[in-house]
Amino acid sequence: MHGDVYAPNIEAVIKCIKCSSEFNLMDKRIVCSCGGLLQVEFKKIPELTWSVLRGRAFKLWRYRELIPVPSEAQIISLGEGGTPLIKSVRLKDLVHVKEVYIKFEGANPTGSFKDRGMTVAVSMAKYLGARVVVCASTGNTAASMSAYAARAGMKSIVILPKGKVAKGKLVQAVLHGAILAFIDGSFDDALRAVTQVAERYPVYVLNSLNPWRIEGQKTLAFEVADEVGVPDWIVVPVGNGGNISAIWKGFKELKEAGLTSKLPKLAGVQASGAAPLARAFRKGLNVPEFVNNPETIATAIRIGRPVNWPRALKAIRESGGVLMDVTDEEILKAQEALARFEGLGVEPASATSLAGLIKLKEEELVDRDESVVLVATGHALKDPDVIKYHSADIHYLSSEGVLALVREVVGT
Ligand code: AN7
């Protein structure tokens, strides 16, 4: 399917953001021996023009040169990326800003932005000879990993917080043949278990600690810039802080490559019951105080110890942006507004971006002549159980009853 993808020779390394050690791209480690996070870095940013890129399909692999997977690697793809960037027609007047776009990541093959990271990281896993991949997950990572692993012919093991994963995501992991391990505890406990497993057994870890996940997820920035240029703000739901770090990396690389000239301000949004980064930002802390019992209706971001916090905090500060939190009530209201004013069905975690924008506007951090992109990370179908929190106009009627109902609705 991607035989037409240009496979470049790339000069890049894996580098520790803490101790600056450098590793070969073929190195299998996903964290540095010093404990620091790893990042893929170009030695020299490839020379590119928009017209070359735009001659290819509007999909993630359009940006092949900026994704330094070695050219011999087989690309495991489900046609991810190229998701709709939808201009808001009705919400714009509610929030009073120049332009609001919604990047609808629910349109990815497994219904979330995770597919961007997985096409890249699973391709690397396959290339590195992994047979078993593993992740801790609040649900979407598990759904995406098990789909891509299936396509790559690898076994997947997903470690999940018992009772806290939305139904749609579980259906996907089961359907794609993953081994599901539920543990008593939160996502953070599941990730600790993954770390222990990885120390002992030859498994490849596909959590967003993995630098190749970031390489895939940064393409969201490429697509936004490609379609409408760089906005003034980009608002991103934050759990582990992987996606917001990736999006920042994407915008920075575009600027470095001379493809854009400005950078956006990043607004990261957490759920109030799981907001260690927002709290650290508010207090001006350099190291967050973790939350031991995170709780929110937005189970995707029910995370108390975000592993990507160093890069997420750095990205947001560098951009001149903000980190904030929104309540479950605000999340549900925003979910309903996106669905009922724009026709966009997103899961609760994804609605934090609109809830965040509403707050940013109230606090006058976003100006009325600024443009904003809201990242809608996952599809509404992921989490059908939240229906109980929304107003529903449902009737059980006889056929005469139906006639009466319609008469009332049309107002005759
Ligand atoms: C819909 O699936 O962490 O800040 O294990 O599913 O990069 O963690 C999901 C995260 C936002 C937060 N929106 O992204 C997992 C997982 C949705 C998500 C996030 C997630 P990060």
Side-chain angles (χ1 to χ4, degrees):
M1 173 178 181
H2 289 272
D4 59 336
V5 165
Y6 172 62
N9 268 327
I10 300 158
E11 292 174 55
V13 291
I14 296 176
K15 188 169 174 179
C16 174
I17 67 167
K18 198 168 160 194
C19 75
S20 300
S21 294
E22 288 187 7
F23 307 98
N24 184 281
L25 290 183
M26 295 294 289
D27 203 291
K28 283 188 190 167
R29 80 190 78 199
I30 62 148
V31 284
C32 186
S33 29
C34 82
L37 297 168
L38 296 176
Q39 175 162 299
V40 178
E41 275 186 17
F42 289 104
K43 285 284 176 195
K44 184 171 156 284
I45 197 97
E47 272 174 45
L48 280 170
T49 62
W50 283 119
S51 71
V52 166
L53 296 172
R54 287 176 185 150
R56 306 172 188 161
F58 186 50
K59 293 277 168 196
L60 181 140
W61 291 98
R62 166 181 277 198
Y63 312 98
R64 177 68 175 92
E65 290 89 340
L66 294 170
I67 307 168
V69 170
S71 52
E72 320 79 69
Q74 177 198 350
I75 301 301
I76 310 294
S77 172
L78 290 166
E80 54 294 313
T83 56
L85 183 64
I86 299 155
K87 192 169 182 169
S88 117
V89 282
R90 297 181 65 203
L91 277 178
K92 183 166 79 74
D93 300 326
L94 279 178
V95 285
H96 302 291
V97 293
K98 189 171 99 192
E99 254 156 23
V100 180
Y101 290 92
I102 298 110
K103 185 65 168 161
F104 190 57
E105 289 291 281
N108 275 302
T110 78
S112 84
F113 72 98
K114 305 284 181 185
D115 295 346
R116 293 181 186 275
M118 287 302 167
T119 182
V120 175
V122 171
S123 298
M124 275 311 287
K126 179 89 180 162
Y127 185 53
L128 294 170
R131 288 183 304 115
V132 182
V133 290
V134 59
C135 71
S137 181
T138 57
N140 279 325
T141 302
S144 184
M145 186 186 86
S146 35
Y148 283 81
R151 191 166 171 87
M154 298 187 296
K155 274 191 184 157
S156 41
I157 304 173
V158 302
I159 306 183
L160 307 165
K162 195 172 82 187
K164 297 291 180 180
V165 178
K167 226 174 249 159
K169 305 173 190 181
L170 287 178
V171 169
Q172 291 177 290
V174 169
L175 191 60
H176 293 302
I179 297 162
L180 284 73
F182 290 101
I183 63 160
D184 274 318
S186 67
F187 166 85
D188 308 297
D189 301 308
L191 190 59
R192 221 171 284 142
V194 165
T195 310
Q196 287 167 2
V197 165
E199 278 165 11
R200 246 159 269 188
Y201 303 105
V203 294
Y204 191 68
V205 177
L206 283 170
N207 280 99
S208 59
L209 276 172
N210 185 312
W212 294 105
R213 286 271 313 276
I214 305 283
E215 289 310 287
Q217 288 172 207
K218 74 184 183 186
T219 57
L220 186 145
F222 302 165
E223 290 180 9
V224 169
D226 196 342
E227 282 208 288
V228 296
V230 179
D232 296 307
W233 286 89
I234 182 149
V235 190
V236 189
V238 171
N240 268 307
N243 205 31
I244 199 163
S245 315
I247 290 169
W248 183 240
K249 188 171 191 280
F251 279 113
K252 289 222 305 193
E253 287 177 359
L254 284 182
K255 188 154 177 270
E256 206 185 325
L259 291 167
T260 55
S261 53
K262 83 174 208 193
L263 291 167
K265 283 169 278 190
L266 299 174
V269 192
Q270 297 201 287
S272 298
L277 298 183
R279 214 167 302 152
F281 187 85
R282 224 175 6 248
K283 290 187 182 170
L285 303 178
N286 286 324
V287 179
E289 292 157 359
F290 293 136
V291 173
N292 284 326
N293 297 301
E295 206 43 84
T296 167
I297 189 166
T299 53
I301 51 172
R302 188 175 167 275
I303 293 168
R305 309 174 72 85
V307 285
N308 284 298
W309 71 263
R311 49 183 158 213
L313 276 183
K314 184 163 173 274
I316 289 158
R317 286 185 174 139
E318 237 175 80
S319 79
V322 294
L323 256 165
M324 58 203 301
D325 63 292
V326 293
T327 64
D328 282 1
E329 205 183 345
E330 291 167 326
I331 291 171
L332 288 168
K333 237 189 227 166
Q335 187 189 28
E336 208 167 284
L338 279 166
R340 295 184 185 181
F341 286 104
E342 302 289 355
L344 293 172
V346 307
E347 68 170 282
S350 311
T352 58
S353 50
L354 175 61
L357 173 61
I358 292 168
K359 254 195 183 157
L360 283 170
K361 196 67 203 349
E362 276 166 13
E363 292 169 16
E364 298 183 353
L365 285 163
V366 169
D367 206 71
R368 69 164 55 235
D369 54 273
E370 290 190 298
S371 59
V372 182
V373 169
L374 303 175
V375 180
T377 45
H379 204 287
L381 292 171
K382 293 278 191 174
D383 193 352
D385 289 335
V386 295
I387 193 171
K388 59 179 177 282
Y389 301 109
H390 291 294
S391 66
D393 208 345
I394 299 172
H395 308 260
Y396 297 93
L397 302 165
S398 64
S399 45
E400 293 90 65
V402 171
L403 286 176
L405 173 70
V406 175
R407 192 183 320 121
E408 201 187 308
V409 173
V410 300
T412 58

